[in-house]
């Protein structure tokens, strides 16, 4: 059976889940709808997996660990991942269109993300046969001792809606390179691209059960995190949900990688190139409609250039082209779903109640072509203090909170005054200041004179409430390995059984 078929009556695409090598409905036949945030209409539906479906997927993944997948050489595994990468490259455009239809992110970004995806898989394919242990000169000279990195086992991946396949790649590619098997649970708002993508895994020749997809909402995710067959839970999403997922994983001692929220400071010093900084501020908060965990949602600006920078940012914000996310000249698409739009709107109201001033935006656009979609104008709030809720809580939308600072110490203090620690931007022409501030900021990623740049070989992850563990690069691969130590006795002599050898 194919992954999706259209119902002739209303053209809603009916997706199926992949368990082992079979496309299936949920065992109890339940389904859920996915809404296109540009039209506000249902365009796809997918099975609502219950605990029994999750169990079946995890069982398939457990069996696959012991299948040809578990027995093949690391080089063969790498070759399979390479074939998978090439198939992804051949389907990047169609996957990008699915993703944009599901979450409203502009096609110019989803296309670039999907076109870049094969490089992530190629990078980790190359790493597969470079995973090796060490020999260790243990103090017991009658032993030959070595370590062997082993796959952690079945990975349960729970994913958000903002960049489904891009975020999946940072988990799946290293997990496959390590020799793990995988059950993915995409977000309920965006099941389509991951299900279409799963077809390519089978086509590439990954043995059945190596990559499975179950679809559904939080309860499906919770069943996956709770399943005792899952050895590692890899989660990307909000901090509040991450806490729940960690608790479920703790019940059966599963390892976790947590990529959580942020309230990242974009810090502009008075000596910065103000035009470049304004552009970076726009990229940080209005690209992807601000729906990224790395959003530079707090603009910390030196008092001397506050008015000039705010004016530049607001002037550009007012000209951002909102529109159909599938149109290549659109710069900002809609918010991904109705509840998220309500959340963004209520935070703007809250900020104004707290005493912030509205420089631009703050409403839904009332223009032809934008009324059906979940659009919200790019919004700039000034007069924000770092103790206001709009400065402390993740809004996950196109809302910038501007906070002035006096000097370098003040900037670092405000930058670090957050429970999060995902990313930070530093804008200065002073190379010494750039290094000083980068060292003092508590965040997993620091950009100097740039913002929102990531790569498959550069570790990424959060300090504090922003997460645990790292994705990408060699550190991202280690998340899917566990070390075995092997002791080989060399002399054949027996020893006193009542002492430690
Ligand atoms: P958002 O990113 O919209 O804030 P979440 O962090 O809640 O949303 O969602 C991220 C992913 O976590 C989604 O796939 C969602 O279905 C899943 N999820 C939500 N609640 C739970 C839960 N209690 N346990 C496991 N997964 C969950």
């Amino acid at each position: 059976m194919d992954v999706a078929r259209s119902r002739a009556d209303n053209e809603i695409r009916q997706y199926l889940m992949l368990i082992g090598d079979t496309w299936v409905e949920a065992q109890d036949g339940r389904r859920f709808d996915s809404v296109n945030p540009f039209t506000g209409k249902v365009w796809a539906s997918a099975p609502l997996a219950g605990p029994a479906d999750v169990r079946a997927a995890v069982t398939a993944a457990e069996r696959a660990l012991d299948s040809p997948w578990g027995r093949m050489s690391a080089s063969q595994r790498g070759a399979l991942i390479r074939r998978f990468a090439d198939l992804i490259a051949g389907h990047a455009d169609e996957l990008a269109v699915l993703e944009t239809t599901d979450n409203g992110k502009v096609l110019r970004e989803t296309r670039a993300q999907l076109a870049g995806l094969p490089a992530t898989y190629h990078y980790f394919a190359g790493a597969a046969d470079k995973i090796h242990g060490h020999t260790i000169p243990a103090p017991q000279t009658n032993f030959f001792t070595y370590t062997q990195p082993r796959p952690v086992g079945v990975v349960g991946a729970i994913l958000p809606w903002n960049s489904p396949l891009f975020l999946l790649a940072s988990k799946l590619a290293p997990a496959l390179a390590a020799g793990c098997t995988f059950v993915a649970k995409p977000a309920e708002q965006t099941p389509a691209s991951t299900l279409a993508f799963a077809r390519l895994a089978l086509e590439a020749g990954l043995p059945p059960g190596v990559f499975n997809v179950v679809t559904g909402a939080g309860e499906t995710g919770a069943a996956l995190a709770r399943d005792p067959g899952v050895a590692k839970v890899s989660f990307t999403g909000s901090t509040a949900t991450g806490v729940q997922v960690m608790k479920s994983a703790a019940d059966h001692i599963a390892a976790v990688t947590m990529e959580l929220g942020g309230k990242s400071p974009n810090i502009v010093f008075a000596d910065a190139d103000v035009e470049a900084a304004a552009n970076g501020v726009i990229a940080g908060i209005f690209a992807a409609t601000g729906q990224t965990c790395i959003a530079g949602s707090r603009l910390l600006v030196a008092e001397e250039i506050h008015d000039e920078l705010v004016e530049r940012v607001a002037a550009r914000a007012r000209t951002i082209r909102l529109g159909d996310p599938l149109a290549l000249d659109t710069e900002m698409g809609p918010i991904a779903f109705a509840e998220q739009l309500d959340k963004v709107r209520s935070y703007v109201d809250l900020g104004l109640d707290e005493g912030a001033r509205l420089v631009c935006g703050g409403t839904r656009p009332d223009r032809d072509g934008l009324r059906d979609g979940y659009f919200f104008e790019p919004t700039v709030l000034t007069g924000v203090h770092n103790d206001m809720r709009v400065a402390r809580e993740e809004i996950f939308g196109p809302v910038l909170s501007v906070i002035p600072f006096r000097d370098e110490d003040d900037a670092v203090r405000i930058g670090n005054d957050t429970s999060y620690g995902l990313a930070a931007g530093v804008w200065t022409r002073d190379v010494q200041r750039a290094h000083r501030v980068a060292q003092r900021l508590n965040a997993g990623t620091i950009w100097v004179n740039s913002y929102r740049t990531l790569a498959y070989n550069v570790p990424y992850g959060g300090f504090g409430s922003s997460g645990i563990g790292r994705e990408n690069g060699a550190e991202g691969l280690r998340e899917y390995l566990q070390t075995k130590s092997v002791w080989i006795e060399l002399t054949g002599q027996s020893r006193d059984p009542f002492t430690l050898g």
Side-chain angles (χ1 to χ4, degrees):
M1 207 183 322
D2 195 9
V3 55
R5 51 199 149 74
S6 289
R7 260 201 325 241
D9 53 353
N10 57 6
E11 295 294 313
I12 294 173
R13 286 200 201 196
Q14 307 281 311
Y15 282 89
L16 296 170
M17 308 185 286
L18 179 63
I19 296 182
D21 56 359
T22 314
W23 295 102
V24 295
E25 294 279 2
Q27 291 183 23
D28 62 7
R30 290 199 297 163
R31 300 184 69 81
F32 66 96
D33 291 333
S34 177
V35 173
N36 175 339
F38 176 58
T39 63
K41 296 203 170 69
V42 173
W43 78 284
S45 111
L48 184 63
D53 303 294
V54 170
R55 187 83 273 279
V58 173
T59 304
E62 283 177 302
R63 288 209 184 105
L65 278 174
D66 203 23
S67 72
W69 177 250
R71 291 190 291 273
M72 73 179 57
S73 73
S75 303
Q76 284 172 315
R77 234 173 31 237
L80 272 182
I81 301 169
R82 246 172 246 125
R83 203 183 307 157
F84 190 17
D86 291 341
L87 277 171
I88 298 165
H91 293 81
D93 269 4
E94 95 200 34
L95 292 169
V97 169
L98 289 180
E99 230 164 74
T100 291
T101 309
D102 239 358
N103 69 6
K105 180 179 275 200
V106 288
L107 188 62
R108 61 161 85 177
E109 175 156 341
T110 49
R111 255 196 189 164
Q113 276 188 337
L114 271 291
L117 223 53
T120 301
Y121 286 89
H122 278 292
Y123 171 78
F124 285 105
D129 59 6
K130 291 159 198 76
I131 297 168
H132 50 71
H134 307 282
T135 59
I136 299 177
Q140 299 88 337
T141 54
N142 57 327
F143 281 90
F144 173 62
T145 308
Y146 63 90
T147 62
Q148 214 180 16
R150 302 296 304 151
V152 288
V154 176
V155 176
I158 301 170
L159 295 138
W161 42 266
N162 57 340
S163 290
L165 292 179
F166 177 76
L167 296 171
L168 174 65
S170 304
K171 304 179 189 304
L172 178 60
L176 293 178
C180 296
T181 60
F182 208 91
V183 180
K185 207 294 284 175
E188 56 272 35
Q189 297 84 1
T190 55
S193 60
T194 306
L195 292 169
F197 172 86
R199 180 168 50 83
L200 306 179
L202 283 186
E203 230 174 283
L206 290 184
V210 170
F211 181 56
N212 310 273
V213 183
V214 289
T215 47
E219 286 184 12
T220 310
L224 184 59
R226 259 197 326 261
D227 193 294
V230 171
K232 162 104 194 180
V233 182
S234 187
F235 174 81
T236 300
S238 63
T239 297
T241 303
V243 170
Q244 297 305 315
V245 171
M246 278 184 75
K247 287 181 178 164
S248 301
D251 280 343
H252 57 107
I253 320 287
V256 294
T257 297
M258 292 279 136
E259 295 297 343
L260 309 175
K263 195 73 197 178
S264 299
N266 212 345
I267 305 175
V268 185
F269 287 96
D271 62 20
D273 174 339
V274 179
E275 195 181 330
N279 198 54
V281 170
I282 296 282
I285 190 65
F286 298 132
T289 319
Q291 300 176 119
T292 67
C293 41
I294 50 176
S297 50
R298 286 187 297 152
L299 168 58
L300 274 46
V301 54
E303 284 169 347
E304 306 92 292
I305 59 162
H306 175 278
D307 293 354
E308 180 192 357
L309 183 63
V310 167
E311 189 35 54
R312 275 181 198 260
V313 169
R316 181 68 181 92
R318 288 189 192 99
T319 64
I320 289 174
R321 274 193 304 277
L322 274 59
D324 181 351
L326 285 172
L328 285 173
D329 62 348
T330 297
E331 292 176 322
M332 222 177 88
I335 305 266
F337 52 103
E339 295 83 349
Q340 187 63 22
L341 172 63
D342 291 342
K343 179 178 165 191
V344 170
R345 205 174 8 200
S346 69
Y347 265 112
V348 173
D349 294 344
L350 177 70
L352 298 177
D353 285 349
E354 286 180 305
R357 287 184 297 279
L358 187 68
V359 178
C360 62
T363 54
R364 296 194 60 186
D366 186 22
R367 296 198 287 282
D368 285 349
L370 302 181
R371 290 196 189 90
D372 291 337
Y374 307 135
F375 286 94
F376 198 80
E377 298 275 11
T379 299
V380 176
L381 297 175
T382 54
V384 175
H385 296 287
N386 203 50
D387 51 5
M388 291 182 183
R389 283 181 61 193
V390 285
R392 304 204 79 77
E393 296 173 19
E394 188 175 43
I395 299 174
F396 223 74
V399 180
L400 181 68
S401 295
V402 185
I403 304 168
F405 65 80
R406 283 188 311 278
D407 54 23
E408 192 175 305
D409 282 345
D410 201 30
V412 170
R413 182 187 59 74
I414 301 171
N416 284 340
D417 179 16
T418 170
S419 61
Y420 293 111
L422 195 56
V426 181
W427 298 85
T428 176
R429 287 191 173 102
D430 177 342
V431 69
Q432 290 159 325
R433 164 176 279 162
H435 283 286
R436 268 196 317 265
V437 174
Q439 284 179 27
R440 293 176 67 193
L441 288 171
N442 299 327
T445 293
I446 313 277
W447 294 286
V448 175
N449 296 330
S450 182
Y451 205 86
R452 207 164 174 258
T453 305
L454 298 169
Y456 51 80
N457 55 356
V458 181
Y460 167 78
F463 285 26
S465 303
S466 290
I468 294 177
R470 291 294 176 269
E471 300 201 309
N472 299 334
E475 298 187 29
L477 180 59
R478 273 205 293 278
E479 299 277 331
Y480 296 95
L481 294 164
Q482 56 189 336
T483 299
K484 179 184 285 183
S485 297
V486 182
W487 298 73
I488 314 270
E489 211 285 328
L490 299 173
T491 65
Q493 287 168 3
S494 52
R495 69 168 207 232
D496 175 355
F498 300 105
T499 62
L500 192 61

